[in-house]
Amino acid sequence: MRPFFVYGTLKRGQSNYARLLAGYTLREVRAWLPAAMLYTAGPYPFLVQATDLVPAGAIVFGELIEVQPDHYRRLLRLLDGLEDYVPGRAGNLYERIVVTVQTANGEREAWVYIAGRAAEAAIRRGELCWISNGEW
């Protein structure tokens, strides 16, 4: 089972962690994703990796979360719902992809939710603000 790299409201101490993940995780460790950037226009961030939207040296900081195997499928459905992601659907708010994140113990593959096409277009139009330190 692939862990999740979370960088916004799903991190420990944030609202959606408490609502969806608390009590169902095996571990959470600090992690970071090079060549990525966060943007926001409100109560949650969007992660992007498009080269025209990511300055050189940008890093997104977050957590690598492993969930309990007995709850994995249910939590995957809940997280997909939260992020308005449906596999293969055009117009998703976020897309779920596999990335390689860094941790103190080395690299790990993880699921991450990145900005969908509409959010990326809004960023390009200047409608979202850049989070320069890579930390939500």
Short mmCIF file of all heavy atoms in Angstrom, two decimals, residues 7-74:
data_model
loop_
_atom_site.label_atom_id
_atom_site.label_comp_id
_atom_site.label_asym_id
_atom_site.label_seq_id
_atom_site.Cartn_x
_atom_site.Cartn_y
_atom_site.Cartn_z
N TYR A 7 0.31 17.96 2.32
CA TYR A 7 1.00 19.24 2.46
C TYR A 7 0.08 20.36 2.91
O TYR A 7 0.52 21.49 3.05
CB TYR A 7 1.66 19.62 1.12
CG TYR A 7 0.68 19.61 -0.03
CD1 TYR A 7 -0.11 20.73 -0.31
CD2 TYR A 7 0.50 18.47 -0.81
CE1 TYR A 7 -1.03 20.72 -1.35
CE2 TYR A 7 -0.40 18.46 -1.85
CZ TYR A 7 -1.17 19.58 -2.11
OH TYR A 7 -2.08 19.56 -3.14
N GLY A 8 -1.19 20.07 3.14
CA GLY A 8 -2.15 21.12 3.51
C GLY A 8 -3.02 20.70 4.67
O GLY A 8 -2.51 20.37 5.75
N THR A 9 -4.32 20.70 4.45
CA THR A 9 -5.27 20.44 5.54
C THR A 9 -5.29 19.00 6.00
O THR A 9 -5.96 18.68 6.99
CB THR A 9 -6.69 20.87 5.14
OG1 THR A 9 -7.16 20.02 4.08
CG2 THR A 9 -6.73 22.33 4.72
N LEU A 10 -4.55 18.11 5.35
CA LEU A 10 -4.45 16.71 5.79
C LEU A 10 -3.24 16.46 6.69
O LEU A 10 -3.06 15.35 7.18
CB LEU A 10 -4.41 15.77 4.58
CG LEU A 10 -5.74 15.64 3.84
CD1 LEU A 10 -5.54 14.98 2.48
CD2 LEU A 10 -6.75 14.87 4.67
N LYS A 11 -2.42 17.49 6.92
CA LYS A 11 -1.28 17.33 7.83
C LYS A 11 -1.78 17.27 9.28
O LYS A 11 -2.83 17.81 9.61
CB LYS A 11 -0.31 18.51 7.69
CG LYS A 11 0.44 18.50 6.39
CD LYS A 11 1.38 19.66 6.15
CE LYS A 11 1.71 20.58 7.25
NZ LYS A 11 2.60 21.68 6.84
N ARG A 12 -0.97 16.64 10.13
CA ARG A 12 -1.29 16.61 11.57
C ARG A 12 -1.54 18.02 12.08
O ARG A 12 -0.83 18.95 11.71
CB ARG A 12 -0.16 15.99 12.38
CG ARG A 12 -0.05 14.50 12.26
CD ARG A 12 1.14 14.00 13.00
NE ARG A 12 2.34 14.46 12.27
CZ ARG A 12 3.57 14.23 12.66
NH1 ARG A 12 3.80 13.60 13.78
NH2 ARG A 12 4.59 14.66 11.94
N GLY A 13 -2.57 18.15 12.91
CA GLY A 13 -2.91 19.45 13.47
C GLY A 13 -3.85 20.26 12.60
O GLY A 13 -4.35 21.29 13.04
N GLN A 14 -4.11 19.83 11.39
CA GLN A 14 -5.01 20.53 10.48
C GLN A 14 -6.41 19.89 10.51
O GLN A 14 -6.57 18.75 10.95
CB GLN A 14 -4.45 20.51 9.06
CG GLN A 14 -3.13 21.22 8.91
CD GLN A 14 -3.27 22.73 8.98
OE1 GLN A 14 -4.26 23.31 8.56
NE2 GLN A 14 -2.26 23.37 9.55
N SER A 15 -7.39 20.61 10.02
CA SER A 15 -8.79 20.20 10.15
C SER A 15 -9.11 18.86 9.49
O SER A 15 -9.82 18.04 10.07
CB SER A 15 -9.70 21.28 9.56
OG SER A 15 -9.39 21.48 8.18
N ASN A 16 -8.63 18.61 8.30
CA ASN A 16 -9.00 17.37 7.62
C ASN A 16 -8.22 16.16 8.13
O ASN A 16 -8.67 15.02 7.98
CB ASN A 16 -8.88 17.52 6.11
CG ASN A 16 -10.05 18.31 5.56
OD1 ASN A 16 -11.19 18.12 5.96
ND2 ASN A 16 -9.76 19.23 4.66
N TYR A 17 -7.07 16.38 8.74
CA TYR A 17 -6.40 15.27 9.42
C TYR A 17 -7.29 14.79 10.57
O TYR A 17 -7.56 13.60 10.69
CB TYR A 17 -5.02 15.67 9.95
CG TYR A 17 -4.35 14.54 10.71
CD1 TYR A 17 -3.54 13.65 10.04
CD2 TYR A 17 -4.57 14.36 12.07
CE1 TYR A 17 -2.94 12.60 10.71
CE2 TYR A 17 -3.99 13.30 12.75
CZ TYR A 17 -3.17 12.42 12.07
OH TYR A 17 -2.60 11.36 12.73
N ALA A 18 -7.73 15.72 11.39
CA ALA A 18 -8.58 15.37 12.54
C ALA A 18 -9.87 14.70 12.08
O ALA A 18 -10.33 13.73 12.70
CB ALA A 18 -8.89 16.62 13.36
N ARG A 19 -10.44 15.16 11.00
CA ARG A 19 -11.73 14.66 10.53
C ARG A 19 -11.63 13.30 9.83
O ARG A 19 -12.52 12.47 9.97
CB ARG A 19 -12.32 15.70 9.57
CG ARG A 19 -13.76 15.49 9.20
CD ARG A 19 -14.33 16.73 8.52
NE ARG A 19 -13.77 17.00 7.23
CZ ARG A 19 -14.20 16.48 6.08
NH1 ARG A 19 -15.20 15.65 6.08
NH2 ARG A 19 -13.63 16.81 4.95
N LEU A 20 -10.54 13.06 9.08
CA LEU A 20 -10.47 11.87 8.24
C LEU A 20 -9.38 10.86 8.62
O LEU A 20 -9.56 9.67 8.41
CB LEU A 20 -10.26 12.28 6.78
CG LEU A 20 -11.34 13.15 6.16
CD1 LEU A 20 -10.91 13.62 4.78
CD2 LEU A 20 -12.65 12.40 6.10
N LEU A 21 -8.25 11.31 9.13
CA LEU A 21 -7.11 10.42 9.32
C LEU A 21 -6.80 10.06 10.76
O LEU A 21 -6.22 9.00 11.00
CB LEU A 21 -5.87 11.05 8.68
CG LEU A 21 -5.92 11.21 7.16
CD1 LEU A 21 -4.73 12.02 6.67
CD2 LEU A 21 -5.97 9.86 6.47
N ALA A 22 -7.14 10.91 11.69
CA ALA A 22 -6.78 10.67 13.10
C ALA A 22 -7.30 9.30 13.55
O ALA A 22 -8.46 8.96 13.32
CB ALA A 22 -7.34 11.77 13.99
N GLY A 23 -6.40 8.52 14.12
CA GLY A 23 -6.75 7.20 14.62
C GLY A 23 -6.61 6.09 13.59
O GLY A 23 -6.77 4.91 13.91
N TYR A 24 -6.30 6.44 12.33
CA TYR A 24 -6.18 5.45 11.27
C TYR A 24 -4.80 5.39 10.63
O TYR A 24 -4.62 4.77 9.60
CB TYR A 24 -7.23 5.71 10.18
CG TYR A 24 -8.63 5.66 10.69
CD1 TYR A 24 -9.39 6.81 10.78
CD2 TYR A 24 -9.20 4.46 11.10
CE1 TYR A 24 -10.69 6.77 11.26
CE2 TYR A 24 -10.49 4.40 11.59
CZ TYR A 24 -11.23 5.57 11.66
OH TYR A 24 -12.51 5.52 12.14
N THR A 25 -3.83 6.07 11.22
CA THR A 25 -2.49 6.09 10.63
C THR A 25 -1.55 5.18 11.40
O THR A 25 -1.74 4.92 12.59
CB THR A 25 -1.92 7.52 10.62
OG1 THR A 25 -1.73 7.96 11.95
CG2 THR A 25 -2.83 8.47 9.85
N LEU A 26 -0.54 4.69 10.71
CA LEU A 26 0.53 3.92 11.34
C LEU A 26 1.68 4.83 11.73
O LEU A 26 2.30 4.66 12.77
CB LEU A 26 1.05 2.85 10.38
CG LEU A 26 0.08 1.76 9.99
CD1 LEU A 26 0.69 0.85 8.92
CD2 LEU A 26 -0.30 0.94 11.22
N ARG A 27 1.96 5.81 10.84
CA ARG A 27 3.03 6.77 11.13
C ARG A 27 2.91 7.97 10.21
O ARG A 27 2.36 7.87 9.12
CB ARG A 27 4.42 6.14 11.03
CG ARG A 27 4.85 5.69 9.67
CD ARG A 27 6.16 4.90 9.69
NE ARG A 27 6.14 3.72 10.51
CZ ARG A 27 5.64 2.53 10.17
NH1 ARG A 27 5.12 2.38 8.98
NH2 ARG A 27 5.68 1.52 10.99
N GLU A 28 3.44 9.07 10.69
CA GLU A 28 3.55 10.30 9.91
C GLU A 28 4.98 10.79 10.08
O GLU A 28 5.44 10.90 11.21
CB GLU A 28 2.60 11.38 10.42
CG GLU A 28 1.13 10.98 10.45
CD GLU A 28 0.67 10.53 11.83
OE1 GLU A 28 1.51 10.36 12.74
OE2 GLU A 28 -0.53 10.32 12.01
N VAL A 29 5.66 11.03 8.99
CA VAL A 29 7.03 11.53 9.07
C VAL A 29 7.17 12.76 8.18
O VAL A 29 6.50 12.89 7.16
CB VAL A 29 8.08 10.46 8.67
CG1 VAL A 29 8.04 9.27 9.61
CG2 VAL A 29 7.90 10.01 7.24
N ARG A 30 8.03 13.65 8.58
CA ARG A 30 8.33 14.86 7.80
C ARG A 30 8.88 14.43 6.44
O ARG A 30 9.71 13.52 6.35
CB ARG A 30 9.37 15.68 8.57
CG ARG A 30 9.73 16.97 7.91
CD ARG A 30 8.72 18.02 8.22
NE ARG A 30 9.24 19.34 7.85
CZ ARG A 30 8.49 20.32 7.48
NH1 ARG A 30 7.18 20.18 7.46
NH2 ARG A 30 9.02 21.48 7.17
N ALA A 31 8.40 15.09 5.40
CA ALA A 31 8.85 14.77 4.04
C ALA A 31 8.83 16.04 3.21
O ALA A 31 8.21 17.03 3.60
CB ALA A 31 7.94 13.71 3.43
N TRP A 32 9.52 16.00 2.08
CA TRP A 32 9.54 17.16 1.20
C TRP A 32 9.63 16.69 -0.24
O TRP A 32 10.12 15.61 -0.54
CB TRP A 32 10.67 18.12 1.55
CG TRP A 32 12.04 17.51 1.59
CD1 TRP A 32 12.96 17.52 0.58
CD2 TRP A 32 12.64 16.81 2.68
NE1 TRP A 32 14.10 16.87 0.98
CE2 TRP A 32 13.93 16.42 2.26
CE3 TRP A 32 12.22 16.48 3.96
CZ2 TRP A 32 14.80 15.71 3.09
CZ3 TRP A 32 13.07 15.77 4.78
CH2 TRP A 32 14.36 15.40 4.35
N LEU A 33 9.10 17.54 -1.12
CA LEU A 33 9.06 17.24 -2.55
C LEU A 33 9.77 18.35 -3.30
O LEU A 33 9.27 19.48 -3.39
CB LEU A 33 7.60 17.12 -3.02
CG LEU A 33 7.39 16.82 -4.50
CD1 LEU A 33 8.00 15.47 -4.88
CD2 LEU A 33 5.89 16.83 -4.81
N PRO A 34 10.97 18.06 -3.82
CA PRO A 34 11.69 19.07 -4.61
C PRO A 34 10.98 19.34 -5.94
O PRO A 34 10.18 18.52 -6.42
CB PRO A 34 13.05 18.41 -4.87
CG PRO A 34 13.15 17.29 -3.89
CD PRO A 34 11.74 16.84 -3.63
N ALA A 35 11.28 20.48 -6.52
CA ALA A 35 10.75 20.88 -7.83
C ALA A 35 9.23 20.93 -7.82
O ALA A 35 8.56 20.48 -8.75
CB ALA A 35 11.26 19.96 -8.94
N ALA A 36 8.69 21.49 -6.75
CA ALA A 36 7.24 21.66 -6.61
C ALA A 36 6.99 22.97 -5.90
O ALA A 36 7.87 23.52 -5.23
CB ALA A 36 6.64 20.50 -5.83
N MET A 37 5.76 23.48 -6.01
CA MET A 37 5.41 24.76 -5.41
C MET A 37 3.96 24.72 -4.95
O MET A 37 3.15 24.00 -5.51
CB MET A 37 5.57 25.86 -6.47
CG MET A 37 5.58 27.25 -5.92
SD MET A 37 7.07 27.52 -4.96
CE MET A 37 6.37 28.36 -3.58
N LEU A 38 3.66 25.52 -3.92
CA LEU A 38 2.29 25.66 -3.42
C LEU A 38 1.73 27.02 -3.81
O LEU A 38 2.44 28.03 -3.76
CB LEU A 38 2.25 25.55 -1.89
CG LEU A 38 2.61 24.21 -1.27
CD1 LEU A 38 2.53 24.31 0.26
CD2 LEU A 38 1.72 23.10 -1.78
N TYR A 39 0.45 27.01 -4.16
CA TYR A 39 -0.31 28.23 -4.44
C TYR A 39 -1.63 28.13 -3.70
O TYR A 39 -2.13 27.02 -3.44
CB TYR A 39 -0.60 28.37 -5.93
CG TYR A 39 0.60 28.70 -6.77
CD1 TYR A 39 1.46 27.70 -7.22
CD2 TYR A 39 0.87 30.01 -7.15
CE1 TYR A 39 2.55 28.00 -8.02
CE2 TYR A 39 1.96 30.32 -7.95
CZ TYR A 39 2.80 29.31 -8.37
OH TYR A 39 3.88 29.61 -9.16
N THR A 40 -2.22 29.27 -3.36
CA THR A 40 -3.51 29.27 -2.69
C THR A 40 -4.30 30.53 -3.03
O THR A 40 -3.73 31.55 -3.38
CB THR A 40 -3.36 29.15 -1.15
OG1 THR A 40 -4.65 28.92 -0.58
CG2 THR A 40 -2.73 30.38 -0.56
N ALA A 41 -5.61 30.40 -2.89
CA ALA A 41 -6.51 31.55 -3.02
C ALA A 41 -7.52 31.51 -1.89
O ALA A 41 -8.59 32.09 -1.98
CB ALA A 41 -7.22 31.52 -4.37
N GLY A 42 -7.20 30.78 -0.84
CA GLY A 42 -8.17 30.66 0.24
C GLY A 42 -7.78 29.65 1.29
O GLY A 42 -6.63 29.61 1.71
N PRO A 43 -8.72 28.78 1.66
CA PRO A 43 -8.51 27.92 2.83
C PRO A 43 -7.71 26.65 2.59
O PRO A 43 -7.55 25.85 3.50
CB PRO A 43 -9.94 27.57 3.24
CG PRO A 43 -10.71 27.59 1.96
CD PRO A 43 -10.08 28.70 1.15
N TYR A 44 -7.19 26.43 1.39
CA TYR A 44 -6.39 25.23 1.13
C TYR A 44 -5.42 25.51 -0.02
O TYR A 44 -5.66 26.37 -0.86
CB TYR A 44 -7.27 24.02 0.80
CG TYR A 44 -8.33 24.28 -0.23
CD1 TYR A 44 -8.06 24.15 -1.58
CD2 TYR A 44 -9.61 24.67 0.14
CE1 TYR A 44 -9.02 24.39 -2.54
CE2 TYR A 44 -10.60 24.92 -0.81
CZ TYR A 44 -10.29 24.78 -2.15
OH TYR A 44 -11.25 25.02 -3.11
N PRO A 45 -4.31 24.75 -0.05
CA PRO A 45 -3.30 24.97 -1.08
C PRO A 45 -3.44 24.02 -2.26
O PRO A 45 -4.11 22.99 -2.18
CB PRO A 45 -2.01 24.67 -0.32
CG PRO A 45 -2.40 23.57 0.61
CD PRO A 45 -3.82 23.91 1.03
N PHE A 46 -2.79 24.39 -3.36
CA PHE A 46 -2.63 23.53 -4.53
C PHE A 46 -1.14 23.32 -4.74
O PHE A 46 -0.37 24.28 -4.73
CB PHE A 46 -3.20 24.19 -5.78
CG PHE A 46 -4.69 24.26 -5.81
CD1 PHE A 46 -5.34 25.40 -5.40
CD2 PHE A 46 -5.43 23.18 -6.27
CE1 PHE A 46 -6.73 25.48 -5.44
CE2 PHE A 46 -6.82 23.25 -6.30
CZ PHE A 46 -7.47 24.40 -5.89
N LEU A 47 -0.73 22.09 -4.98
CA LEU A 47 0.65 21.77 -5.31
C LEU A 47 0.75 21.67 -6.82
O LEU A 47 -0.12 21.07 -7.47
CB LEU A 47 1.05 20.43 -4.67
CG LEU A 47 2.50 20.01 -4.83
CD1 LEU A 47 2.95 19.24 -3.59
CD2 LEU A 47 2.73 19.17 -6.07
N VAL A 48 1.80 22.26 -7.38
CA VAL A 48 2.06 22.16 -8.81
C VAL A 48 3.50 21.73 -9.05
O VAL A 48 4.38 22.00 -8.23
CB VAL A 48 1.77 23.48 -9.56
CG1 VAL A 48 0.30 23.84 -9.49
CG2 VAL A 48 2.64 24.60 -9.06
N GLN A 49 3.71 21.07 -10.19
CA GLN A 49 5.05 20.68 -10.61
C GLN A 49 5.37 21.19 -12.02
O GLN A 49 6.46 20.95 -12.51
CB GLN A 49 5.19 19.15 -10.58
CG GLN A 49 5.13 18.57 -9.19
CD GLN A 49 5.34 17.07 -9.20
OE1 GLN A 49 4.57 16.33 -9.79
NE2 GLN A 49 6.40 16.63 -8.55
N ALA A 50 4.43 21.88 -12.65
CA ALA A 50 4.66 22.40 -14.00
C ALA A 50 5.86 23.34 -13.97
O ALA A 50 5.92 24.26 -13.15
CB ALA A 50 3.42 23.12 -14.49
N THR A 51 6.79 23.14 -14.86
CA THR A 51 8.06 23.88 -14.82
C THR A 51 7.86 25.39 -14.95
O THR A 51 8.65 26.16 -14.39
CB THR A 51 9.03 23.38 -15.91
OG1 THR A 51 8.39 23.46 -17.18
CG2 THR A 51 9.45 21.95 -15.64
N ASP A 52 6.82 25.83 -15.65
CA ASP A 52 6.61 27.27 -15.78
C ASP A 52 6.02 27.89 -14.52
O ASP A 52 5.97 29.12 -14.40
CB ASP A 52 5.72 27.59 -16.99
CG ASP A 52 4.32 27.02 -16.86
OD1 ASP A 52 4.18 25.85 -16.45
OD2 ASP A 52 3.36 27.75 -17.17
N LEU A 53 5.59 27.08 -13.56
CA LEU A 53 5.00 27.58 -12.31
C LEU A 53 5.89 27.36 -11.09
O LEU A 53 5.53 27.77 -9.99
CB LEU A 53 3.64 26.92 -12.08
CG LEU A 53 2.58 27.17 -13.14
CD1 LEU A 53 1.33 26.36 -12.85
CD2 LEU A 53 2.26 28.64 -13.26
N VAL A 54 7.02 26.69 -11.28
CA VAL A 54 7.88 26.33 -10.16
C VAL A 54 9.24 26.98 -10.32
O VAL A 54 9.99 26.67 -11.26
CB VAL A 54 8.05 24.79 -10.07
CG1 VAL A 54 8.98 24.42 -8.93
CG2 VAL A 54 6.70 24.11 -9.90
N PRO A 55 9.58 27.92 -9.43
CA PRO A 55 10.91 28.55 -9.50
C PRO A 55 12.03 27.54 -9.20
O PRO A 55 11.80 26.56 -8.49
CB PRO A 55 10.86 29.63 -8.43
CG PRO A 55 9.54 29.57 -7.79
CD PRO A 55 8.78 28.42 -8.34
N ALA A 56 13.19 27.80 -9.69
CA ALA A 56 14.35 26.94 -9.42
C ALA A 56 14.55 26.81 -7.91
O ALA A 56 14.47 27.80 -7.18
CB ALA A 56 15.59 27.52 -10.08
N GLY A 57 14.79 25.61 -7.46
CA GLY A 57 15.07 25.36 -6.06
C GLY A 57 13.86 25.27 -5.16
O GLY A 57 13.99 25.07 -3.95
N ALA A 58 12.66 25.38 -5.71
CA ALA A 58 11.43 25.32 -4.88
C ALA A 58 11.23 23.92 -4.31
O ALA A 58 11.53 22.92 -4.95
CB ALA A 58 10.22 25.73 -5.70
N ILE A 59 10.72 23.89 -3.09
CA ILE A 59 10.45 22.64 -2.37
C ILE A 59 9.12 22.80 -1.64
O ILE A 59 8.85 23.86 -1.06
CB ILE A 59 11.55 22.33 -1.34
CG1 ILE A 59 12.91 22.15 -2.02
CG2 ILE A 59 11.21 21.10 -0.51
CD1 ILE A 59 14.07 22.01 -1.06
N VAL A 60 8.33 21.73 -1.62
CA VAL A 60 7.11 21.69 -0.81
C VAL A 60 7.37 20.77 0.37
O VAL A 60 7.84 19.63 0.20
CB VAL A 60 5.90 21.21 -1.64
CG1 VAL A 60 4.71 20.93 -0.73
CG2 VAL A 60 5.54 22.23 -2.70
N PHE A 61 7.06 21.25 1.56
CA PHE A 61 7.24 20.48 2.79
C PHE A 61 5.89 19.93 3.24
O PHE A 61 4.87 20.61 3.15
CB PHE A 61 7.84 21.36 3.89
CG PHE A 61 9.20 21.86 3.53
CD1 PHE A 61 9.37 23.11 2.95
CD2 PHE A 61 10.32 21.08 3.76
CE1 PHE A 61 10.63 23.58 2.61
CE2 PHE A 61 11.58 21.53 3.41
CZ PHE A 61 11.74 22.79 2.85
N GLY A 62 5.92 18.72 3.75
CA GLY A 62 4.69 18.11 4.23
C GLY A 62 4.99 16.89 5.08
O GLY A 62 6.03 16.84 5.74
N GLU A 63 4.08 15.92 5.02
CA GLU A 63 4.23 14.70 5.78
C GLU A 63 3.93 13.49 4.91
O GLU A 63 3.04 13.55 4.05
CB GLU A 63 3.27 14.69 6.97
CG GLU A 63 3.58 15.75 7.99
CD GLU A 63 2.55 15.85 9.10
OE1 GLU A 63 1.39 15.42 8.91
OE2 GLU A 63 2.92 16.35 10.17
N LEU A 64 4.67 12.44 5.13
CA LEU A 64 4.41 11.16 4.52
C LEU A 64 3.57 10.37 5.52
O LEU A 64 4.03 10.13 6.64
CB LEU A 64 5.71 10.44 4.20
CG LEU A 64 5.57 9.13 3.46
CD1 LEU A 64 5.11 9.38 2.03
CD2 LEU A 64 6.88 8.37 3.48
N ILE A 65 2.37 10.01 5.12
CA ILE A 65 1.45 9.34 6.04
C ILE A 65 1.16 7.93 5.56
O ILE A 65 0.76 7.72 4.41
CB ILE A 65 0.13 10.13 6.17
CG1 ILE A 65 0.41 11.47 6.83
CG2 ILE A 65 -0.91 9.34 6.95
CD1 ILE A 65 -0.81 12.32 7.06
N GLU A 66 1.41 6.97 6.43
CA GLU A 66 1.05 5.58 6.17
C GLU A 66 -0.20 5.28 6.98
O GLU A 66 -0.26 5.58 8.17
CB GLU A 66 2.18 4.65 6.57
CG GLU A 66 3.43 4.86 5.73
CD GLU A 66 4.54 3.92 6.12
OE1 GLU A 66 4.29 2.70 6.24
OE2 GLU A 66 5.66 4.41 6.30
N VAL A 67 -1.20 4.68 6.32
CA VAL A 67 -2.46 4.39 7.00
C VAL A 67 -2.57 2.90 7.29
O VAL A 67 -1.91 2.07 6.66
CB VAL A 67 -3.67 4.89 6.19
CG1 VAL A 67 -3.61 6.40 6.00
CG2 VAL A 67 -3.79 4.19 4.86
N GLN A 68 -3.42 2.59 8.24
CA GLN A 68 -3.63 1.19 8.64
C GLN A 68 -4.20 0.40 7.46
O GLN A 68 -5.13 0.85 6.78
CB GLN A 68 -4.60 1.12 9.81
CG GLN A 68 -4.09 1.79 11.06
CD GLN A 68 -5.15 1.87 12.14
OE1 GLN A 68 -6.25 1.34 12.01
NE2 GLN A 68 -4.82 2.58 13.21
N PRO A 69 -3.63 -0.78 7.19
CA PRO A 69 -4.07 -1.57 6.03
C PRO A 69 -5.57 -1.85 6.00
O PRO A 69 -6.18 -1.81 4.92
CB PRO A 69 -3.28 -2.88 6.17
CG PRO A 69 -2.07 -2.50 6.95
CD PRO A 69 -2.52 -1.41 7.89
N ASP A 70 -6.17 -2.12 7.14
CA ASP A 70 -7.61 -2.42 7.18
C ASP A 70 -8.48 -1.23 6.77
O ASP A 70 -9.65 -1.41 6.45
CB ASP A 70 -8.03 -2.90 8.57
CG ASP A 70 -7.42 -4.24 8.94
OD1 ASP A 70 -6.88 -4.92 8.05
OD2 ASP A 70 -7.50 -4.61 10.12
N HIS A 71 -7.93 -0.05 6.79
CA HIS A 71 -8.70 1.17 6.48
C HIS A 71 -8.25 1.84 5.18
O HIS A 71 -8.80 2.87 4.81
CB HIS A 71 -8.59 2.16 7.64
CG HIS A 71 -9.18 1.63 8.90
ND1 HIS A 71 -10.53 1.65 9.16
CD2 HIS A 71 -8.59 1.05 9.97
CE1 HIS A 71 -10.75 1.10 10.34
NE2 HIS A 71 -9.59 0.73 10.84
N TYR A 72 -7.27 1.24 4.50
CA TYR A 72 -6.66 1.88 3.34
C TYR A 72 -7.67 2.21 2.24
O TYR A 72 -7.75 3.34 1.79
CB TYR A 72 -5.52 1.02 2.79
CG TYR A 72 -4.72 1.70 1.72
CD1 TYR A 72 -3.68 2.56 2.06
CD2 TYR A 72 -4.99 1.50 0.37
CE1 TYR A 72 -2.93 3.21 1.09
CE2 TYR A 72 -4.24 2.14 -0.61
CZ TYR A 72 -3.22 2.99 -0.24
OH TYR A 72 -2.49 3.63 -1.21
N ARG A 73 -8.42 1.23 1.79
CA ARG A 73 -9.36 1.45 0.68
C ARG A 73 -10.42 2.49 1.03
O ARG A 73 -10.75 3.36 0.23
CB ARG A 73 -10.03 0.15 0.27
CG ARG A 73 -9.11 -0.80 -0.44
CD ARG A 73 -9.89 -2.04 -0.90
NE ARG A 73 -9.02 -3.11 -1.26
CZ ARG A 73 -8.51 -3.28 -2.47
NH1 ARG A 73 -8.76 -2.41 -3.43
NH2 ARG A 73 -7.73 -4.31 -2.74
N ARG A 74 -10.93 2.43 2.25
CA ARG A 74 -11.94 3.39 2.69
C ARG A 74 -11.35 4.80 2.74
O ARG A 74 -11.96 5.76 2.26
CB ARG A 74 -12.48 3.00 4.07
CG ARG A 74 -13.55 3.95 4.60
CD ARG A 74 -14.04 3.52 5.98
NE ARG A 74 -13.00 3.64 6.99
CZ ARG A 74 -12.66 4.77 7.59
NH1 ARG A 74 -13.28 5.90 7.29
NH2 ARG A 74 -11.71 4.80 8.49
#
